[in-house]
Amino acid sequence: MMLSFQVLLPALYTALVTAKTVTYDFNISWITTNPDGLYERPTIGINGQWPIPRIEADVGDRIIVHANNQLGNRTTSLHFHGLYMNGSSQMDGPVGTSQCAIPAGQSLTYDFNITQPGTYWYHAHADGSYPDGLRGPLIINDAEDPYKDQYDEEIVLTLSDWYHSFMPDLISNFINTDNPTGAEPVPDSALMNDTQNLQINVQPGKTYKFRVINMGAFAGQYLWFEGHNISIVEVDGIYTEPTEASMLYITVAQRYSFLLTTQNDTTSNFAIVGSMDQDLFDTVPDGLNPNVTGWLVYNDKEPLPDPTLLDEFDPFDDYTLVPQDGLELYDKVDYSMEMNFYMGNLNDGANYAFINDKTYTMPKVPSLYTALSTGNNATDATIYGSNSNTFILDQGQVAEIVLNSADPGKHPFHLHGHSFQAVWRGAEDDGSYAYNETLPTVPMRRDTFMVNPNSNIVLRFKADNPGVWLFHCHIEWHIDSGLVATLIEAPLALQAQNLVIPQDHLDACKAANRPTSGNAAGNTANYEDLTGENLPPGPIPAGFTTSGIVAMVFSCVAGFLGMAVIIWYGLGEIETQKRKAA
Ligand SMILES: *[C@@H]1O[C@H](CO)[C@@H](O)[C@H](O)[C@H]1NC(C)=O
Ligand SMILES: *[C@@H]1O[C@H](CO)[C@@H](O)[C@H](O)[C@H]1NC(C)=O
Ligand SMILES: *[C@@H]1O[C@H](CO)[C@@H](O)[C@H](O)[C@H]1NC(C)=O
Ligand SMILES: *[C@@H]1O[C@H](CO)[C@@H](O)[C@H](O)[C@H]1NC(C)=O
Ligand SMILES: *[C@@H]1O[C@H](CO)[C@@H](O)[C@H](O)[C@H]1NC(C)=O
Ligand SMILES: *[C@@H]1O[C@H](CO)[C@@H](O)[C@H](O)[C@H]1NC(C)=O
Ligand SMILES: *[C@@H]1O[C@H](CO)[C@@H](O)[C@H](O)[C@H]1NC(C)=O
Ligand SMILES: *[C@@H]1O[C@H](CO)[C@@H](O)[C@H](O)[C@H]1NC(C)=O
Ligand SMILES: *[C@@H]1O[C@H](CO)[C@@H](O)[C@H](O)[C@H]1NC(C)=O
Ligand SMILES: *[C@@H]1O[C@H](CO)[C@@H](O)[C@H](O)[C@H]1NC(C)=O
Ligand SMILES: [Cu+2]
């Protein structure tokens, strides 16, 4: 007793004297930008700036962000991607889950403690807005970084895809009768640090720690530094055993920290290349440049060389990383959630994403408010709405998600409130997960992990963070088309936290005329009665099966495809297309 007290006290004392409150006043408004030099457009900035400021704090700090929506014509919210929000689920940010959207002209404050080091980002989680500009780095420094003695300087570097059109316009063209196959809008450009031709001045014989974030909407990017290998030391906030790589594949929402040691001579400069994964694009428009180039500049009198063009990509496989803390496999699973997803059509003729046959539709009452206001009935998944894809977790359980993809695309899945162990990842076209005894003893962990085309992943985590957390594909198009599930984690323990929902959060709901208690439909008398809840369009008319339509559409030429659309018009009642925001 005595010994541990003496050992603990100095650590506690240090934390107390150094912990501070970091406050940001963010006025969110439109500003005109032209980051790819091809097209000037209104972009969502902060305090008259774009790129938006980076949020930075130390482990143990408290962060307060006052967000004032000065956009005039758009609602918004902020999500702090990867932060566990332990004990502050109401500050997580997704509209319809932990808050209502901040209406134009109103403010809302986020207030939470930082308990984890690493490379994160923050972005809007409302109306599909973040690709219109509202996304930036969030860096948590760590006095106990195990690699702090191994580098001289730190460099933050972002990657992103970039669209010239506004997201609401792109989304309504995407979820549309004219796009029954669900072809996603293709970005107009790739950006590195929200620009192109970025020059990073470096000195010879030094080691730099890069923190790289893909803040894009859609495109994973390959990233490499000519003439240099790198040593990965962190992914998504999890320190890893140092692992050498020469090329990364970074899906949207993933982050990597790596050490890069510069060469000893200063006679040449080296290209840095980000290259958007064109496998994701149904058609590649003429003239698209999928690449963005920057340089490590050793000597500004020497030329900036064009990068060597590669014929194929051979990126590092993140599944092989080993967490530096050695956390072993959670080998006894208490609760396994199977999620089978595919893309299909509803009777408006548009394309939607389905998990276990349900396309996510935002409830009227944010799911957190339902969990907080329904007493013991909060453990009943049905009250969160027929299309919220809700799963209820008990406190302390080892939970598992078996995610099976019946889609030929690559999908980066993200879990709020946790990082997860990736205990299995199937290869392309492996189909559904077949149980295998041979799992890694120390599996890699991160908060965003890609499932291969027509394949599966198995993710495990401990339900030690009461709250309401979304699990979703991070491709913005797929959030909008419903590739989202809701995890209600330990709802009774959550109620016992006595969270206070601040008045400005309640005011946001009031402005949108949304109730803040009861089931998904706002019914406070009978939680089983979901009358009036938000629903997606109905199923496709009798005589068509979803898989039949998708198979037909995929195997058809454009003319016949047009005919299929006309048949739908004839058979099904065309509902007004209802855009969903997440
Ligand atoms: C935010 O906008 C308000 C109202 O226009 C203004 O008073 C305030 O100074 C602005 N704050 C910042 C940080 O720009
Ligand atoms: C919203 O405001 C911006 C900036 O003024 C403008 O460019 C854009 O067209 C507006 N969007 C809509 C849908 O009105
Ligand atoms: C944040 O930390 C402060 C100071 O330690 C504490 O009083 C507060 O309860 C914490 N908040 C949460 C949500 O854990
Ligand atoms: C990249 O942008 C971030 C802010 O978004 C900035 O902090 C960082 O210094 C920039 N990096 C380089 C290499 O310019
Ligand atoms: C990077 O690593 C690869 C594979 O180990 C090796 O072939 C290559 O020479 C290394 N490149 C540099 C610049 O060190
Ligand atoms: C650079 O010089 C240092 C010190 O002389 C040496 O240890 C290192 O191996 C050299 N690096 C390279 C890439 O040649
Ligand atoms: C982009 O880079 C890749 C990889 O080097 C190359 O294959 C491709 O030709 C480049 N595309 C353009 C338009 O430069
Ligand atoms: C189980 O996984 C191991 C390691 O990946 C592999 O070698 C083995 O073939 C798999 N067994 C089955 C039955 O799939
Ligand atoms: C949340 O906090 C509890 C209590 O302090 C702790 O046991 C748990 O590990 C934390 N969970 C996460 C995900 O940080
Ligand atoms: C809560 O659940 C119980 C048991 O299922 C049920 O009898 C009761 O009516 C429910 N309460 C409400 C308000 O729906
Ligand atoms: Cu997806």
Side-chain angles (χ1 to χ4, degrees):
M1 278 299 269
M2 203 55 202
L3 181 70
S4 63
F5 181 73
Q6 284 172 336
V7 171
L8 278 177
L9 197 59
L12 193 65
Y13 181 73
T14 316
L16 284 177
V17 291
T18 56
K20 60 186 186 300
T21 299
V22 184
T23 304
Y24 292 92
D25 288 312
F26 283 172
N27 286 341
I28 301 168
S29 64
W30 293 106
I31 75 166
T32 300
T33 66
N34 187 358
D36 60 5
L38 297 174
Y39 190 80
E40 209 168 72
R41 56 156 289 174
T43 298
I44 304 180
I46 288 180
N47 298 340
Q49 288 177 45
W50 193 89
I52 60 176
R54 89 184 190 208
I55 294 180
E56 188 159 359
D58 298 322
V59 177
D61 288 351
R62 171 182 179 191
I63 292 184
I64 298 177
V65 179
H66 300 295
N68 183 352
N69 180 356
Q70 301 183 350
L71 291 167
N73 60 11
R74 194 78 77 82
T75 64
T76 194
S77 82
L78 295 178
H79 168 58
F80 306 88
H81 184 116
L83 297 188
Y84 299 146
M85 294 288 167
N86 198 344
S88 45
S89 189
Q90 78 280 23
M91 300 296 173
D92 195 43
V95 169
T97 305
S98 37
Q99 67 168 89
C100 293
I102 312 171
Q106 288 193 19
S107 295
L108 186 147
T109 295
Y110 297 93
D111 182 352
F112 49 90
N113 293 336
I114 300 291
T115 57
Q116 50 188 137
T119 310
Y120 304 91
W121 60 304
Y122 69 104
H123 61 82
H125 217 299
D127 281 345
S129 268
Y130 84 75
D132 280 331
L134 191 47
R135 75 281 182 289
L138 192 170
I139 306 297
I140 307 298
N141 298 310
D142 181 11
E144 268 128 56
D145 174 354
Y147 303 113
K148 67 168 182 283
D149 297 333
Q150 294 181 29
Y151 59 89
D152 301 293
E153 264 178 60
E154 187 173 295
I155 297 174
V156 174
L157 190 67
T158 67
L159 296 171
S160 182
D161 46 24
W162 188 246
Y163 292 86
H164 292 161
S165 302
F166 287 113
M167 287 301 286
D169 299 336
L170 291 169
I171 292 168
S172 56
N173 290 337
F174 167 58
I175 303 177
N176 197 293
T177 42
D178 293 338
N179 185 28
T181 62
E184 297 83 2
V186 176
D188 295 296
S189 300
L191 302 178
M192 185 181 287
N193 248 37
D194 285 328
T195 186
Q196 292 179 333
N197 304 315
L198 178 75
Q199 298 186 28
I200 303 179
N201 292 314
V202 292
Q203 290 173 350
K206 282 203 164 177
T207 299
Y208 293 84
K209 173 172 166 176
F210 280 80
R211 293 181 182 268
V212 179
I213 305 162
N214 185 342
M215 326 187 287
F218 182 22
Q221 289 202 35
Y222 299 95
L223 174 73
W224 66 99
F225 293 75
E226 292 193 343
H228 301 72
N229 283 340
I230 61 177
S231 175
I232 300 166
V233 291
E234 179 227 322
V235 287
D236 299 359
I238 307 295
Y239 291 118
T240 66
E241 292 297 339
T243 307
E244 178 142 311
S246 50
M247 178 187 286
L248 298 177
Y249 181 82
I250 313 179
T251 73
V252 292
Q254 287 184 331
R255 293 88 62 206
Y256 282 84
S257 288
F258 48 82
L259 305 182
L260 178 149
T261 299
T262 50
Q263 302 195 354
N264 284 336
D265 67 83
T266 56
T267 51
S268 35
N269 301 318
F270 294 88
I272 311 168
V273 190
S275 185
M276 294 195 290
D277 178 5
Q278 298 184 77
D279 289 355
L280 295 162
F281 306 157
D282 287 39
T283 50
V284 179
D286 287 343
L288 173 73
N289 181 359
N291 304 323
V292 58
T293 306
W295 287 273
L296 290 177
V297 179
Y298 283 78
N299 184 335
D300 57 16
K301 299 193 177 60
E302 297 296 330
L304 301 174
D306 284 337
T308 306
L309 297 184
L310 307 181
D311 296 329
E312 56 183 43
F313 301 99
D314 183 18
F316 176 80
D317 179 2
D318 62 341
Y319 183 68
T320 62
L321 288 168
V322 177
Q324 185 258 350
D325 62 13
L327 183 73
E328 289 184 4
L329 173 76
Y330 292 124
D331 58 355
K332 193 186 147 292
V333 174
D334 299 306
Y335 178 45
S336 184
M337 295 164 267
E338 185 168 306
M339 300 190 198
N340 300 309
F341 80 86
Y342 58 89
M343 304 296 178
N345 297 82
L346 291 173
N347 78 359
D348 60 356
N351 191 273
Y352 294 86
F354 297 82
I355 294 177
N356 299 343
D357 299 329
K358 298 281 187 185
T359 185
Y360 177 86
T361 305
M362 186 182 292
K364 275 190 181 153
V365 176
S367 300
L368 173 68
Y369 298 170
T370 295
L372 293 177
S373 64
T374 52
N376 288 334
N377 297 51
T379 58
D380 176 0
T382 59
I383 72 171
Y384 298 92
S386 345
N387 280 72
S388 58
N389 293 321
T390 292
F391 294 82
I392 312 281
L393 282 64
D394 290 341
Q395 191 164 28
Q397 280 182 329
V398 170
E400 175 184 78
I401 298 172
V402 176
L403 181 72
N404 295 313
S405 166
D407 184 76
K410 301 172 189 169
H411 301 270
F413 270 81
H414 169 50
L415 176 60
H416 291 226
H418 290 275
S419 49
F420 41 65
Q421 291 186 337
V423 306
W424 184 263
R425 166 156 67 184
E428 184 164 350
D429 294 327
D430 269 5
S432 297
Y433 176 56
Y435 287 85
N436 185 318
E437 299 294 314
T438 320
L439 300 182
T441 46
V442 180
M444 69 85 96
R445 297 200 313 281
R446 65 187 314 165
D447 64 42
T448 307
F449 196 51
M450 188 182 84
V451 57
N452 283 313
N454 292 310
S455 186
N456 62 78
I457 49 175
V458 181
L459 308 168
R460 290 183 186 168
F461 60 96
K462 195 159 186 187
D464 61 0
N465 187 11
V468 175
W469 312 117
L470 290 183
F471 175 68
H472 62 89
C473 175
H474 214 291
I475 290 176
E476 184 54 51
W477 311 116
H478 300 164
I479 299 179
D480 298 317
S481 65
L483 198 45
V484 179
T486 310
L487 306 193
I488 311 288
E489 180 170 336
L492 302 184
L494 177 66
Q495 291 170 3
Q497 289 178 346
N498 295 315
L499 298 185
V500 176
I501 307 298
Q503 188 59 42
D504 54 3
H505 291 233
L506 297 172
D507 290 346
C509 294
K510 197 167 175 204
N513 208 14
R514 281 176 185 268
T516 51
S517 62
N519 68 13
N523 191 325
T524 53
N526 177 359
Y527 302 140
E528 301 302 315
D529 180 4
L530 289 161
T531 307
E533 69 171 327
N534 291 341
L535 287 171
I540 48 173
F544 288 86
T545 62
T546 305
S547 55
I549 283 189
V550 171
M552 179 170 77
V553 160
F554 275 119
S555 61
C556 280
V557 290
F560 188 30
L561 193 148
M563 225 168 87
V565 174
I566 292 161
I567 291 168
W568 287 332
Y569 271 103
L571 286 180
E573 195 179 320
I574 306 300
E575 296 194 11
T576 324
Q577 170 235 319
K578 209 178 353 160
R579 178 159 54 80
K580 290 172 300 163

XYZ file of all heavy atoms in Angstrom, residues 439-478:
337
model
N -6.024 -16.887 -34.539
C -6.081 -15.435 -34.540
C -4.770 -14.896 -33.966
O -4.092 -15.589 -33.205
C -7.277 -14.966 -33.700
C -8.647 -15.457 -34.177
C -9.758 -14.889 -33.301
C -8.901 -15.078 -35.633
N -4.405 -13.667 -34.302
C -3.139 -13.119 -33.791
C -3.160 -13.004 -32.265
O -4.207 -12.752 -31.675
C -3.062 -11.727 -34.432
C -4.406 -11.454 -35.001
C -5.116 -12.737 -35.187
N -2.018 -13.196 -31.615
C -1.986 -13.108 -30.149
C -2.017 -11.651 -29.690
O -2.595 -11.344 -28.660
C -0.735 -13.795 -29.566
O 0.381 -13.368 -30.327
C -0.859 -15.302 -29.623
N -1.372 -10.763 -30.456
C -1.436 -9.331 -30.145
C -1.941 -8.627 -31.411
O -1.155 -8.183 -32.239
C -0.063 -8.784 -29.702
C -0.165 -7.288 -29.379
C 0.453 -9.533 -28.478
N -3.265 -8.555 -31.580
C -3.797 -7.998 -32.835
C -3.565 -6.491 -32.929
O -3.455 -5.810 -31.913
C -5.301 -8.259 -32.735
C -5.552 -8.966 -31.464
C -4.309 -8.937 -30.641
N -3.507 -6.009 -34.136
C -3.394 -4.559 -34.318
C -4.692 -3.894 -33.858
O -5.755 -4.501 -33.859
C -3.074 -4.236 -35.784
C -4.178 -4.503 -36.747
S -5.276 -3.092 -36.816
C -4.645 -2.239 -38.202
N -4.571 -2.655 -33.438
C -5.765 -1.895 -33.048
C -5.748 -0.546 -33.751
O -4.692 0.054 -33.941
C -5.790 -1.612 -31.531
C -5.854 -2.797 -30.667
C -6.355 -2.508 -29.239
N -5.787 -1.385 -28.519
C -4.606 -1.381 -27.907
N -3.814 -2.435 -27.977
N -4.187 -0.324 -27.242
N -6.894 -0.064 -34.102
C -7.053 1.297 -34.597
C -8.541 1.622 -34.575
O -9.327 0.781 -34.114
C -6.420 1.446 -35.991
C -7.054 0.639 -37.119
C -6.238 0.738 -38.425
N -5.865 2.134 -38.671
C -4.933 2.541 -39.536
N -4.289 1.647 -40.277
N -4.661 3.816 -39.695
N -8.949 2.817 -35.029
C -10.381 3.111 -34.975
C -11.049 3.112 -36.340
O -12.262 3.309 -36.428
C -10.660 4.407 -34.195
C -10.066 5.658 -34.844
O -10.147 5.801 -36.080
O -9.522 6.507 -34.110
N -10.262 2.917 -37.397
C -10.822 2.875 -38.754
C -10.070 1.806 -39.527
O -8.830 1.849 -39.609
C -10.668 4.238 -39.453
O -11.230 5.261 -38.618
C -11.359 4.260 -40.802
N -10.784 0.844 -40.078
C -10.127 -0.298 -40.706
C -10.905 -0.702 -41.948
O -12.133 -0.723 -41.934
C -10.082 -1.451 -39.699
C -9.128 -2.557 -40.049
C -7.816 -2.281 -40.373
C -9.544 -3.879 -40.027
C -6.926 -3.307 -40.686
C -8.664 -4.911 -40.341
C -7.352 -4.623 -40.665
N -10.178 -1.016 -43.001
C -10.826 -1.287 -44.286
C -11.247 -2.746 -44.433
O -10.459 -3.646 -44.151
C -9.879 -0.925 -45.417
C -10.541 -0.983 -46.781
S -9.361 -0.618 -48.080
C -8.616 -2.233 -48.305
N -12.480 -2.952 -44.883
C -12.904 -4.298 -45.265
C -12.689 -4.435 -46.769
O -12.995 -3.528 -47.552
C -14.373 -4.584 -44.855
C -15.345 -3.586 -45.448
C -14.786 -6.004 -45.220
N -12.097 -5.549 -47.170
C -11.805 -5.782 -48.581
C -13.093 -6.066 -49.361
O -14.105 -6.476 -48.781
C -10.836 -6.971 -48.715
C -9.416 -6.574 -48.371
O -8.917 -5.551 -48.833
N -8.752 -7.374 -47.539
N -13.047 -5.896 -50.695
C -14.230 -6.139 -51.524
C -14.776 -7.560 -51.343
O -13.987 -8.517 -51.282
C -13.701 -5.944 -52.951
C -12.523 -5.023 -52.793
C -11.920 -5.378 -51.468
N -16.097 -7.691 -51.231
C -16.745 -9.007 -51.080
C -16.023 -9.876 -50.068
O -15.688 -11.030 -50.341
C -16.817 -9.714 -52.442
C -17.771 -9.015 -53.383
O -18.913 -8.731 -53.022
N -17.308 -8.692 -54.583
N -15.775 -9.328 -48.904
C -15.003 -10.059 -47.914
C -15.481 -9.687 -46.509
O -16.629 -9.272 -46.337
C -13.517 -9.768 -48.126
O -12.744 -10.570 -47.254
N -14.627 -9.832 -45.530
C -15.071 -9.671 -44.143
C -13.964 -9.169 -43.242
O -12.781 -9.310 -43.558
C -15.577 -11.021 -43.627
C -14.466 -12.071 -43.634
O -13.617 -12.076 -42.745
N -14.435 -12.930 -44.652
N -14.359 -8.579 -42.116
C -13.413 -8.304 -41.029
C -14.097 -8.646 -39.713
O -15.329 -8.628 -39.612
C -12.943 -6.824 -40.953
C -14.110 -5.849 -41.008
C -11.893 -6.492 -41.954
C -13.696 -4.400 -40.817
N -13.262 -8.962 -38.722
C -13.783 -9.259 -37.389
C -13.077 -8.329 -36.411
O -11.844 -8.275 -36.368
C -13.538 -10.739 -37.012
C -14.103 -11.026 -35.620
C -14.175 -11.656 -38.043
N -13.868 -7.565 -35.675
C -13.341 -6.521 -34.790
C -13.793 -6.811 -33.363
O -14.932 -7.236 -33.154
C -13.910 -5.165 -35.231
C -13.736 -4.845 -36.711
C -14.575 -3.639 -37.112
C -12.263 -4.597 -37.025
N -12.883 -6.593 -32.404
C -13.282 -6.820 -31.005
C -12.880 -5.635 -30.138
O -11.850 -5.000 -30.374
C -12.603 -8.085 -30.463
C -13.166 -9.334 -31.084
C -12.554 -10.585 -30.497
N -13.032 -11.743 -31.240
C -12.531 -12.963 -31.134
N -11.522 -13.208 -30.294
N -13.028 -13.948 -31.844
N -13.662 -5.374 -29.141
C -13.340 -4.318 -28.177
C -14.077 -4.603 -26.887
O -14.990 -5.431 -26.842
C -13.736 -2.940 -28.731
C -15.202 -2.797 -29.036
C -16.067 -2.221 -28.124
C -15.725 -3.266 -30.235
C -17.430 -2.097 -28.394
C -17.075 -3.156 -30.509
C -17.932 -2.576 -29.596
N -13.645 -3.912 -25.841
C -14.280 -4.095 -24.544
C -15.291 -2.976 -24.325
O -14.976 -1.805 -24.540
C -13.200 -4.053 -23.462
C -13.675 -4.582 -22.156
C -12.503 -5.004 -21.302
C -13.028 -5.679 -20.050
N -11.970 -5.972 -19.119
N -16.475 -3.355 -23.871
C -17.543 -2.359 -23.661
C -17.313 -1.662 -22.320
O -18.041 -1.872 -21.355
C -18.912 -3.032 -23.716
N -16.264 -0.827 -22.285
C -15.886 -0.154 -21.030
C -16.109 1.350 -21.134
O -15.478 2.128 -20.430
C -14.414 -0.449 -20.699
C -13.462 0.046 -21.781
O -13.936 0.622 -22.797
O -12.245 -0.144 -21.625
N -16.975 1.765 -22.038
C -17.187 3.195 -22.261
C -18.676 3.448 -22.509
O -19.115 3.573 -23.657
C -16.334 3.628 -23.460
C -16.345 5.129 -23.691
O -16.826 5.895 -22.851
N -15.834 5.553 -24.830
N -19.466 3.516 -21.424
C -20.915 3.696 -21.609
C -21.200 4.903 -22.497
O -20.635 5.984 -22.296
C -21.428 3.936 -20.180
C -20.413 3.271 -19.299
C -19.095 3.477 -20.001
N -22.068 4.719 -23.477
C -22.358 5.824 -24.390
C -23.115 5.311 -25.593
O -23.462 4.130 -25.679
N -23.368 6.205 -26.514
C -24.035 5.834 -27.759
C -23.057 6.123 -28.880
O -22.633 7.273 -29.066
C -25.355 6.601 -27.921
C -25.994 6.312 -29.263
C -26.310 6.219 -26.788
N -22.662 5.082 -29.595
C -21.555 5.194 -30.542
C -21.973 4.653 -31.898
O -22.504 3.548 -31.996
C -20.340 4.409 -30.029
C -19.997 4.690 -28.594
C -20.014 3.795 -27.559
C -19.578 5.955 -28.022
N -19.638 4.411 -26.393
C -19.365 5.733 -26.634
C -19.367 7.224 -28.538
C -18.958 6.758 -25.774
C -18.963 8.242 -27.681
C -18.751 7.995 -26.317
N -21.685 5.415 -32.929
C -21.976 4.931 -34.281
C -20.851 4.030 -34.770
O -19.683 4.225 -34.434
C -22.109 6.098 -35.260
C -23.338 6.988 -35.127
C -23.343 8.046 -36.229
C -24.624 6.173 -35.154
N -21.225 3.060 -35.579
C -20.273 2.238 -36.321
C -20.675 2.405 -37.781
O -21.818 2.126 -38.142
C -20.400 0.774 -35.892
C -19.539 -0.175 -36.680
C -18.152 -0.138 -36.564
C -20.108 -1.124 -37.531
C -17.348 -1.017 -37.280
C -19.316 -2.003 -38.247
C -17.934 -1.954 -38.119
N -19.760 2.940 -38.605
C -20.176 3.230 -39.976
C -18.994 3.239 -40.942
O -17.847 3.421 -40.541
C -20.906 4.580 -40.047
C -20.075 5.780 -39.640
N -19.301 6.481 -40.537
C -19.907 6.398 -38.449
C -18.698 7.477 -39.896
N -19.039 7.451 -38.629
N -19.339 3.048 -42.205
C -18.349 3.269 -43.250
C -18.051 4.764 -43.264
O -18.955 5.590 -43.138
C -18.897 2.837 -44.601
S -17.763 3.239 -45.946
N -16.763 5.123 -43.407
C -16.433 6.546 -43.357
C -16.436 7.226 -44.717
O -16.126 8.404 -44.834
C -15.108 6.794 -42.640
C -15.105 8.082 -41.864
N -15.117 9.324 -42.478
C -15.163 8.328 -40.551
C -15.151 10.257 -41.546
N -15.182 9.681 -40.367
N -16.767 6.495 -45.769
C -16.949 7.162 -47.056
C -18.229 7.983 -46.943
O -19.296 7.438 -46.638
C -17.006 6.121 -48.194
C -15.600 5.507 -48.365
C -17.534 6.738 -49.482
C -15.508 4.405 -49.386
N -18.114 9.287 -47.135
C -19.255 10.159 -46.850
C -20.493 9.733 -47.648
O -21.614 9.761 -47.143
C -18.887 11.620 -47.136
C -19.968 12.626 -46.781
C -20.489 12.538 -45.348
O -19.674 12.524 -44.412
O -21.718 12.461 -45.157
N -20.291 9.294 -48.889
C -21.440 8.877 -49.723
C -22.184 7.728 -49.063
O -23.402 7.618 -49.182
C -20.965 8.491 -51.127
C -20.059 9.539 -51.687
C -18.736 9.411 -52.017
C -20.387 10.915 -51.918
N -18.230 10.609 -52.435
C -19.212 11.545 -52.384
C -21.559 11.665 -51.772
C -19.169 12.899 -52.706
C -21.522 13.016 -52.090
C -20.335 13.609 -52.555
N -21.438 6.847 -48.421
C -22.079 5.655 -47.852
C -22.735 5.962 -46.508
O -23.707 5.286 -46.126
C -21.055 4.520 -47.751
C -20.499 4.162 -49.090
N -19.357 3.419 -49.266
C -20.935 4.486 -50.340
C -19.115 3.296 -50.566
N -20.049 3.935 -51.237
